[in-house]
Amino acid sequence: MQRLDRFLSEAGVESRRKLKDVIRSGRLTVNGAVCTAPDQKIDEKTAVIKLDGQVIGRGAKRIVVMMHKPAGCVTAATDDRYPTVMEHLPPEYRRLMPIGRLDMETEGLLLFTNDGDLAHRLISPKHGVEKSYYAEHAGTADADDVAAFAAGCVLKDGTKCLPAVLEPLGEGKSLVRVREGKYHQVRRMLASRGKPVSYLRRISEGSLELGDLPIGMTRELTDLEIEQLESVDFDEKFFKEN
Ligand code: URA
């Protein structure tokens, strides 16, 4: 059993702030009855929950959408100051929640879903899903930088990162593979080695590659891609490669 507001938040129905208003507005039904109590307990495995008549959560078709996020927008449902990634989503996908975040100036692979479990799995440090990034930065990465990443970078504020993979690609370019998602992590890791980042693009997440999806565009994942995304044993993969 789960609280209704928690269920809705995990299903990405609205931002947490707006959730109470949505519930109190009477637009929600649980097993056919209008429900206005955020703390109502529901059986998330069997309950049929609808918002404006549309099934949400488990009963609904699971959707995962990949976006090639452009720079210049924030990963948020709404923002008072900056454009959001939602503005690049076709209207039929605007109820989905972003899985994790990319910084305002970072481009690349960003996923959206209505499946709270999948989102949790991809974000949770417990599963250590690997994400890889192409970075352009000052200087040229060398063997000492590779060793520092492998040992776990210590950021300028003293934060210790998990072991990560740095692959130098020649002058001012590197590939970075991490399995956690601290604030501005890749930028801060490279900055801790004296190599501030000027351009960053996420190119893969778990089994998924950004490929040649044009910048600013989205596409729905196939059922097979979604199954692969859920079923890779991420920890094992990471440790084998290290
Ligand atoms: N690391 C960063 O520095 N920024 C991102 O957006 C993602 C990872």
Side-chain angles (χ1 to χ4, degrees):
M1 299 290 272
Q2 193 178 27
R3 277 175 63 121
L4 179 62
D5 52 2
R6 179 111 205 256
F7 171 87
L8 295 172
S9 154
E10 287 179 7
V13 166
E14 263 296 4
S15 67
R16 255 168 216 249
R17 263 184 301 148
K18 289 197 187 151
L19 214 48
K20 278 211 166 61
D21 294 343
V22 171
I23 297 172
R24 299 227 159 94
S25 69
R27 292 161 57 200
L28 270 165
T29 57
V30 177
N31 297 328
V34 172
C35 177
T36 52
D39 61 353
Q40 167 150 344
K41 287 277 185 351
I42 54 151
D43 181 342
E44 69 276 18
K45 292 203 175 69
T46 57
V48 177
I49 296 155
K50 293 187 183 176
L51 176 62
D52 298 333
Q54 294 222 12
V55 179
I56 47 178
R58 277 166 217 276
K61 176 179 170 344
R62 177 163 62 167
I63 299 174
V64 184
V65 168
M66 179 199 288
M67 174 188 285
H68 187 159
K69 177 194 174 291
C73 56
V74 293
T75 310
T78 57
D79 194 273
D80 295 339
R81 282 182 301 166
Y82 302 110
T84 72
V85 288
M86 294 301 172
E87 292 164 36
H88 297 278
L89 268 184
E92 67 269 29
Y93 297 135
R94 292 209 180 132
R95 282 239 177 91
L96 305 181
M97 63 175 147
I99 305 182
R101 273 168 194 278
L102 288 178
D103 304 335
M104 172 121 152
E105 292 313 325
T106 301
E107 296 179 356
L109 195 167
L110 183 63
L111 297 174
F112 296 81
T113 189
N114 57 356
D115 181 344
D117 290 338
L118 179 68
H120 177 72
R121 177 170 186 122
L122 291 173
I123 296 167
S124 159
K126 193 176 114 207
H127 293 293
V129 176
E130 187 182 278
K131 288 137 194 139
S132 58
Y133 297 84
Y134 166 76
E136 292 179 1
H137 52 78
T140 297
D142 61 17
D144 287 346
D145 298 318
V146 172
F149 271 58
C153 286
V154 179
L155 305 180
K156 286 183 179 163
D157 67 357
T159 305
K160 176 103 199 278
C161 298
L162 289 173
V165 177
L166 176 68
E167 285 177 34
L169 297 176
E171 203 181 323
K173 293 176 191 160
S174 295
L175 254 165
V176 177
R177 295 194 278 142
V178 295
R179 58 191 173 101
E180 56 182 346
K182 297 188 196 304
Y183 177 71
H184 286 187
Q185 178 152 356
V186 173
R187 292 174 192 276
R188 289 160 77 210
M189 286 164 97
L190 281 160
S192 77
R193 302 294 308 166
K195 297 180 169 59
V197 168
S198 53
Y199 174 81
L200 191 62
R201 180 170 75 237
R202 180 150 71 196
I203 55 175
S204 75
E205 178 158 2
S207 52
L208 265 184
E209 308 247 329
L210 179 62
D212 53 13
L213 185 66
I215 198 155
M217 301 304 282
T218 51
R219 74 166 178 87
E220 233 179 87
L221 300 193
T222 63
D223 289 344
L224 181 64
E225 284 176 315
I226 299 176
E227 276 164 34
Q228 287 170 341
L229 198 54
E230 303 189 287
S231 62
V232 179
D233 189 335
F234 298 107
D235 277 336
E236 207 180 293
K237 176 169 173 275
F238 187 88
F239 285 117
K240 262 190 212 151
E241 289 180 3
N242 284 281

